Amino acid sequence: MSSNEWIGMVASVAQRCVDKGLKMTGPRKVIAEALSRSNDHPDADMLFQRVQAIDPTVSLATVYRTLKLFQEREIIAKLDFGDGRSRFERAPREHHDHLIDVQTGEVIEFQNDKIEQLQTEIAAELGYELTDHRLELFGRKIERK
């Protein structure tokens, strides 16, 4: 990722906050920056460690409050991958699904047109129009010989 792309991502998270009517305090800017730098799906503790690397004065309580606020304003999405930790990603984004490695916790984002079509067909067969969905697959890596 180029530095211009990175700067654009940081600005877009902060700009979404402003667009949603949030006052951008110093801690919120730092948390938005840490979220923007994340290429994974951090939980609050992981994000707190990243925030601390930028500004050690931001407390864990502030991170939790800000995550809740960002989630309420649909700036981020809260995800539950069944490991007892709430994880977060920027929102809204293009639709994608997740494959979670049950051994390592790695989260792989993917999009598959066949799966999307099949979900729509299943909903229609059951008498529904699909308005939204989330797909999370859990598995372990196959050792290839």
Side-chain angles (χ1 to χ4, degrees):
M1 171 183 312
S2 74
S3 61
N4 285 343
E5 289 173 314
W6 180 82
I7 290 167
M9 287 174 59
V10 172
S12 67
V13 172
Q15 186 59 53
R16 280 190 49 76
C17 291
V18 171
D19 292 347
K20 297 279 187 167
L22 295 180
K23 179 180 174 190
M24 287 309 289
T25 63
R28 287 180 187 168
K29 288 177 187 175
V30 171
I31 294 166
E33 179 180 343
L35 284 167
S36 296
R37 289 182 178 182
S38 298
N39 292 324
D40 57 358
H41 299 78
D43 64 16
D45 292 327
M46 293 165 62
L47 185 63
F48 175 65
Q49 291 174 3
R50 295 169 190 179
V51 166
Q52 287 287 288
I54 300 168
D55 182 351
T57 67
V58 178
S59 71
L60 180 58
T62 298
V63 170
Y64 273 100
R65 282 193 306 272
T66 302
L67 285 172
K68 183 177 181 189
L69 178 64
F70 284 7
Q71 180 190 350
E72 290 170 351
R73 298 290 179 99
E74 298 180 345
I75 295 162
I76 61 172
K78 182 177 175 181
L79 306 170
D80 180 2
F81 296 139
D83 60 359
R85 303 178 299 164
S86 295
R87 304 219 201 167
F88 301 91
E89 69 179 4
R90 289 180 305 275
R93 297 174 56 197
E94 288 186 19
H95 173 74
H96 62 276
D97 298 309
H98 297 102
L99 171 63
I100 298 97
D101 185 315
V102 296
Q103 292 175 316
T104 67
E106 177 185 12
V107 179
I108 301 163
E109 294 181 347
F110 70 94
Q111 200 282 329
N112 182 290
D113 292 336
K114 291 179 188 175
I115 290 174
E116 298 304 314
Q117 182 61 37
L118 183 58
Q119 291 172 124
T120 301
E121 290 172 9
I122 290 169
E125 287 172 10
L126 296 171
Y128 286 85
E129 175 185 0
L130 197 59
T131 59
D132 194 13
H133 76 278
R134 185 181 336 189
L135 177 65
E136 290 147 358
L137 303 174
F138 298 84
R140 75 179 52 78
K141 195 147 193 131
I142 298 172
E143 297 296 323
R144 304 221 185 240
K145 295 180 183 179

